Amino acid sequence: MRPAPPAPPATRPAARAPFTATLLAAVWIALATGTIEVIVLAFRKVVLGHVLHLSPHFVWMAPLGTVGIVAVPALTIAAAAALWPRLVTWPRATGFFAFLAALGLISLFPRLHRIAMLLLAAGVGVQASRWASARPDRLIAAMRRSLAILAGAITLAGIGVGGASLLRERRALAALPDAQAGAPNILFIILDTVRAASLSLYGYDKPTSPALDAFARRGVVFDRAISPSPWTLPSHGAMFTGHDPHEQSSDWEAPLDDAFPTLAEVLAARGWMTAGFVANVFYGTYEHGLDRGFARYEDFRISPGQVFNSSSLASLVLAGRPGFTVNPLRRLIDNLDYLGRKDADRVNADFLRWLDRRAAERPFFAFLNYIDAHWPYVAPADVRRQFGVTARWGYNVPAYDAAIAGIDRELGRLLDTLDERGVLDNTIVVIASDHGEHLGEHDRTGHGNSLYMENLHVPLVIVFPGSVPAGMRVSDFVTTRSLAATLLDLAGQADAGLLPGRSLRHTWAAGSDTSHAADPVLSSARQTVRASVDLPISQGDMAALIDEGHQFIQNGDGSEELYDLRVDMAQHVDRLTREPGLADRLRAALTRLLTNPTGRP
């Protein structure tokens, strides 16, 4: 009897099913490195107190975003492995996926040189390929066993974040005291990055704000409203707390802390339902302290764009984080917008959906922030055509005008809807901006880089039937820092005494010919490394004071400027050397306010 032939050698799992094994490696590596990224980010946020500029849902978005960005090369490589298994081997594919994932993780440490990042990631990929070649059976088996565990842990983390948010809202609503009978609603709308000079409401020669023009006739228009700061966070902080930016903790890398109560906290303590719907995810989110006092605060969208923003690898490839950078790939696909942008119509829809579900017997305080006029300026296609804009995205005057007009249209639709529902009959409406924008004036673009009027002069409209006169314009220089005190005053809560600032009621009470003495207006900005080194803001803190129509500026480089805004709002003529006595007086007044604000209204 002849002996049986020897059994053929066992075929390795990767060789038996190269397509499936390759996809398994790609998904497992993406989920595993995404989980490591979540741990790193959580440590930075919870232990180190860093601002991540990410949705709290990053706990599941980061791994999912990494899977998403790996998916295309994974499918391609898996198909190649099935067709040419000797050329595209499982160890090589595993090494490539490990290289990509490691590159994403290493990018969390941006101080490393790019070449060093590539070399480190390549080293990880080579080592992973060696392990996969030496132990393919064990690795594949381990990946299969642990894949469900990884996916389950990520899913539970996501459920936990969503559940915690709902629980906080329910607790906040349950803790509300009874509101004063007849208390008005408050609708506070910020047109982010919209300067007054570009609105037809303020004489601009293009029809950028017809809806606002019409609505403003119902109340008071402030012709010279000045922002306390030329950028988002300290400006919002001043409007919410009544405290000047130099008194706040808010900075380029620091959030608004809880040293001062916010308008939302004061109103919630007196029975108002509070909710914020915010499109500015750079400096207007929960991470920046602006959510304090709001039972519901919607900032980051749950969207594919935000999923990719949350993954370091996806962000590296698509330039999604922090959102301002644009790489060749984004230019190739003609998408210069930041991923996950929330347009004005989405903000409106979210607010109206919340309004439909709220307890109707309670007054509400709703804060809306539109960011369509922030770079890159975006607008609906028909509005772009109206302003002669051909590109989808732009950074020029026509694109900026179109973006403002797009916001104005959505603002008009929202106000019309609320009017039809009768909501505006007992609602205080404030429409303002946090800061303006340079469009080439003073050789500058953007914002946060100067204390010129292009950055500081903002729109301000207040409408409240029966309490605010209709059809009035106030010519005083006023600060939007006064809005917290003004809203408490109009809502019958001036006795709260918790928020500093002088109500703006006195400006319209004096009549349209406001010849009385106006309060000095202070604006300031802390030094930043984000600006070009040739700009004064990159060299030191800046501050400016407006008093009796004159503006005195102290720049970060130590230089000073003086302008007569009564006749020179464009700030063409520096009067510093012409009026040294006036400069000395304003310099002393500015120093007093910055060092000893006691007694300031």
Side-chain angles (χ1 to χ4, degrees):
M1 186 176 206
R2 302 178 66 180
T11 306
R12 289 180 172 179
R16 291 199 303 267
F19 185 87
T20 303
T22 302
L23 284 184
L24 172 66
V27 173
W28 188 91
I29 290 172
L31 288 180
T33 53
T35 302
I36 295 172
E37 181 174 354
V38 169
I39 295 171
V40 172
L41 293 173
F43 177 82
R44 287 181 174 178
K45 183 169 184 61
V46 176
V47 179
L48 302 181
H50 289 181
V51 174
L52 303 179
H53 298 282
L54 291 176
S55 164
H57 292 279
F58 75 85
V59 296
W60 61 268
M61 287 183 171
L64 186 61
T66 304
V67 171
I69 208 67
V70 168
V72 173
L75 288 170
T76 303
I77 293 172
L83 293 173
W84 305 290
R86 292 188 177 182
L87 177 63
V88 184
T89 65
W90 187 77
R92 290 174 182 171
T94 301
F96 176 72
F97 299 138
F99 162 76
L100 282 182
L103 189 61
L105 283 177
I106 294 169
S107 72
L108 290 173
F109 305 92
R111 293 185 179 182
L112 287 173
H113 194 278
R114 291 184 179 180
I115 295 179
M117 292 171 59
L118 288 170
L119 290 175
L120 284 172
V124 172
V126 169
Q127 190 60 42
S129 180
R130 289 175 178 172
W131 288 342
S133 180
R135 307 175 183 84
D137 296 351
R138 291 184 181 181
L139 277 178
I140 291 177
M143 286 178 179
R144 285 174 175 167
R145 287 194 301 268
S146 58
L147 185 62
I149 297 174
L150 278 174
I154 292 166
T155 301
L156 288 176
I159 293 173
V161 169
S165 177
L166 291 174
L167 182 60
R168 282 194 301 271
E169 182 179 2
R170 289 184 179 180
R171 286 178 174 175
L173 295 177
L176 290 177
D178 292 335
Q180 179 179 322
N185 305 310
I186 300 173
L187 179 59
F188 189 8
I189 300 176
I190 290 296
L191 316 177
D192 205 297
T193 321
V194 172
R195 66 185 197 177
S198 293
L199 295 174
S200 49
L201 178 65
Y202 291 92
Y204 191 51
D205 61 359
K206 294 181 177 60
T208 53
S209 58
L212 180 59
D213 299 353
F215 184 72
R217 289 193 283 271
R218 301 187 187 187
V220 174
V221 177
F222 292 84
D223 287 332
R224 293 171 172 173
I226 304 298
S227 173
S229 184
W231 66 285
T232 296
L233 183 54
S235 173
H236 278 79
M239 291 187 288
F240 280 10
T241 68
H243 285 271
D244 286 309
H246 72 279
E247 301 175 282
Q248 304 170 26
S249 62
S250 58
D251 202 349
W252 299 96
E253 299 297 336
L256 180 72
D257 63 20
D258 58 0
F260 307 119
T262 66
L263 177 62
E265 287 177 317
V266 172
L267 291 171
R270 298 196 166 207
W272 268 260
M273 289 187 66
T274 56
F277 303 89
V278 178
N280 187 325
V281 296
F282 302 112
Y283 286 105
T285 72
Y286 76 101
E287 288 194 290
H288 299 95
L290 297 184
D291 66 326
R292 282 194 293 116
F294 288 102
R296 172 176 285 268
Y297 198 80
E298 297 186 14
D299 40 30
F300 293 97
R301 291 178 58 193
I302 296 180
S303 66
Q306 191 54 43
V307 168
F308 285 125
N309 278 348
S310 301
S311 163
S312 58
L313 177 60
S315 185
L316 184 68
V317 173
L318 301 174
R321 189 196 302 171
F324 290 111
T325 55
V326 177
N327 64 9
L329 175 61
R330 297 283 296 281
R331 293 187 184 277
L332 179 65
I333 64 175
D334 189 26
N335 186 345
L336 308 187
D337 194 8
Y338 63 82
L339 302 178
R341 181 194 282 260
K342 190 189 300 185
D343 296 333
D345 58 343
R346 176 61 182 264
V347 173
N348 289 348
D350 292 343
F351 164 60
L352 291 173
R353 184 167 54 252
W354 171 83
L355 194 64
D356 289 339
R357 296 198 304 261
R358 75 179 180 92
E361 69 277 6
R362 284 191 176 276
F364 69 79
F365 168 48
F367 167 59
L368 277 60
N369 169 285
Y370 302 137
I371 201 173
D372 305 58
H374 194 290
W375 185 90
Y377 313 135
V378 298
D382 60 322
V383 179
R384 295 200 305 270
R385 288 192 295 270
Q386 178 187 350
F387 286 84
V389 179
T390 57
R392 294 174 61 192
W393 327 103
Y395 199 3
N396 52 44
V397 173
Y400 183 67
D401 292 345
I404 293 175
I407 293 175
D408 181 77
R409 183 169 71 180
E410 294 305 322
L411 174 65
R413 289 173 175 173
L414 173 66
L415 295 172
D416 287 345
T417 299
L418 296 176
D419 228 356
E420 292 169 1
R421 298 183 182 184
V423 174
L424 297 184
D425 295 342
N426 189 36
T427 298
I428 306 166
V429 180
V430 171
I431 302 172
S433 177
D434 55 345
H435 55 77
E437 185 87 331
H438 277 295
L439 296 169
E441 304 88 355
H442 302 281
D443 295 322
R444 286 168 171 76
T445 57
H447 53 269
N449 52 25
S450 87
L451 296 179
Y452 294 125
M453 287 297 102
E454 290 82 12
N455 266 195
L456 298 182
H457 185 202
V458 295
L460 176 57
V461 174
I462 301 179
V463 175
F464 186 28
S467 296
V468 175
M472 178 177 286
R473 298 188 81 108
V474 171
S475 60
D476 285 348
F477 285 94
V478 300
T479 173
T480 55
R481 180 181 72 88
S482 299
L483 287 177
T486 303
L487 286 170
L488 290 179
D489 179 19
L490 292 175
Q493 306 298 314
D495 62 310
L498 293 174
L499 304 182
R502 185 182 184 190
S503 171
L504 295 176
R505 185 194 293 269
H506 73 280
T507 60
W508 64 73
S512 57
D513 182 17
T514 55
S515 58
H516 62 288
D519 297 328
V521 174
L522 177 66
S523 301
S524 61
R526 292 191 173 105
Q527 180 181 10
T528 176
V529 296
R530 295 177 182 271
S532 174
V533 294
D534 61 336
L535 294 176
I537 189 64
S538 68
Q539 301 172 42
D541 297 347
M542 301 178 66
L545 181 68
I546 299 174
D547 191 18
E548 297 181 357
H550 296 93
Q551 185 196 33
F552 177 76
I553 301 175
Q554 284 184 338
N555 290 306
D557 60 1
S559 63
E560 298 177 337
E561 301 171 63
L562 178 64
Y563 299 98
D564 187 347
L565 300 180
R566 298 169 300 179
V567 296
D568 185 21
M569 279 289 282
Q571 297 159 296
H572 291 312
V573 180
D574 185 354
R575 308 183 66 85
L576 186 72
T577 58
R578 302 182 187 184
E579 301 185 60
L582 176 60
D584 290 342
R585 181 177 68 81
L586 293 179
R587 184 185 301 109
L590 177 58
T591 300
R592 283 195 301 271
L593 288 176
L594 292 175
T595 58
N596 183 23
T598 303
R600 179 168 171 75

